[in-house]
Amino acid sequence: GQQVMQIPQYQHVQEGEDFTTYCNSSTTLSNIQWYKQRPGGHPVFLIQLVKSGEVKKQKRLTFQFGEAKKNSSLHITATQTTDVGTYFCAGRSNYQLIWGAGTKLIIKP
Amino acid sequence: GAVVSQHPSRVICKSGTSVKIECRSLDFQATTMFWYRQFPKQSLMLMATSNEGSKATYEQGVEKDKFLINHASLTLSTLTVTSAHPEDSSFYICSATGTGGFEQYFGPGTRLTVT
């Protein structure tokens, strides 16, 4: 079936270091969404990418959608403690929204 | 704006009983509502999608007779876990999209524990 693979499962970083999570789909996506779930909280919508090769920025967050619309990435520059949480991608294919497994961002003490 | 509430936030029930979870959109009309299940440290698993006034569309492997979904109005959807068993214990989250919208607004979730 259709799948969206998200890696890595966890990423430990020192505060101030960068963080990146990647999503790869087995099929071409019509769009991809990104969500953030804080520990103990519920997912919150971050952004939707629709166009091939699209790049969008939200302050220290940079979202990319691949040229083939099969992969996407989220990059956080200079992580802060407020960035802690799990980041999910969700790709839309054939009217279905397929969720990645999430990448948990952990700030090392 | 775009607030979704869920009730109850936590529920403990005995094996064999049924539990109803409510999902409400407080300040917008939710044309589509989604029900998810989330296991500890795992991703969201979509259970079903419901459009107001229509029967819910269940994902493969989700028993429709066990997880009854009703979306009778544009602001309310309910999930009833019938004849609950301990393996049904989980975190259930609903989300909703408004007319013409694509982003999902999530409720705070309901922690179900079946003893």
Side-chain angles (χ1 to χ4, degrees):
Chain A
Q2 296 165 347
Q3 285 189 328
V4 172
M5 304 296 293
Q6 187 170 0
I7 56 170
Q9 189 177 3
Y10 299 94
Q11 190 167 6
H12 294 77
V13 300
Q14 297 278 6
E15 189 173 1
E17 290 182 338
D18 294 354
F19 162 87
T20 306
T21 172
Y22 302 89
C23 284
N24 289 290
S25 169
S26 57
T27 59
T28 302
L29 302 170
S30 53
N31 60 60
I32 192 160
Q33 299 176 1
W34 285 91
Y35 292 79
K36 176 184 177 182
Q37 185 174 22
R38 291 179 185 270
H42 57 274
V44 174
F45 175 84
L46 294 176
I47 207 160
Q48 175 170 282
L49 305 174
V50 179
K51 298 178 185 175
S52 168
E54 190 169 13
V55 178
K56 284 189 177 180
K57 292 193 174 186
Q58 290 179 352
K59 296 183 180 177
R60 293 178 294 104
L61 278 61
T62 302
F63 304 84
Q64 292 189 324
F65 200 11
E67 294 288 343
K69 300 182 76 172
K70 283 189 169 185
N71 56 72
S72 181
S73 65
L74 158 59
H75 180 82
I76 303 177
T77 306
T79 55
Q80 299 175 358
T81 54
T82 52
D83 297 325
V84 162
T86 302
Y87 293 83
F88 293 97
C89 65
R92 190 171 297 281
S93 176
N94 295 327
Y95 303 105
Q96 266 192 307
L97 197 63
I98 307 161
W99 289 78
T103 297
K104 191 170 184 178
L105 168 58
I106 300 163
I107 304 281
K108 295 177 189 175
Chain B
V3 177
V4 175
S5 70
Q6 255 182 269
H7 178 80
S9 57
R10 290 178 180 271
V11 58
I12 301 172
C13 70
K14 292 189 176 179
S15 189
T17 61
S18 295
V19 173
K20 182 185 281 190
I21 302 169
E22 291 186 350
C23 178
R24 292 181 185 272
S25 58
L26 299 185
D27 52 2
F28 68 102
Q29 294 188 325
T31 49
T32 306
M33 284 186 164
F34 306 84
W35 286 96
Y36 294 85
R37 193 168 169 176
Q38 188 172 33
F39 293 98
K41 300 180 182 179
Q42 290 191 29
S43 184
L44 298 158
M45 186 195 83
L46 180 64
M47 298 173 67
T49 302
S50 74
N51 292 296
E52 184 263 339
S54 312
K55 286 185 180 179
T57 302
Y58 289 81
E59 294 299 304
Q60 195 172 8
V62 178
E63 299 174 59
K64 59 180 70 175
D65 293 331
K66 180 166 184 63
F67 298 99
L68 301 177
I69 291 170
N70 184 283
H71 190 171
S73 78
L74 282 171
T75 58
L76 173 65
S77 177
T78 59
L79 166 67
T80 302
V81 183
T82 62
S83 187
H85 289 99
E87 57 265 30
D88 298 326
S89 298
S90 191
F91 193 57
Y92 292 87
I93 311 179
C94 71
S95 70
T97 57
T99 307
F102 52 80
E103 60 188 270
Q104 295 185 31
Y105 299 100
F106 283 81
T110 297
R111 172 75 58 194
L112 170 63
T113 304
V114 185
T115 61

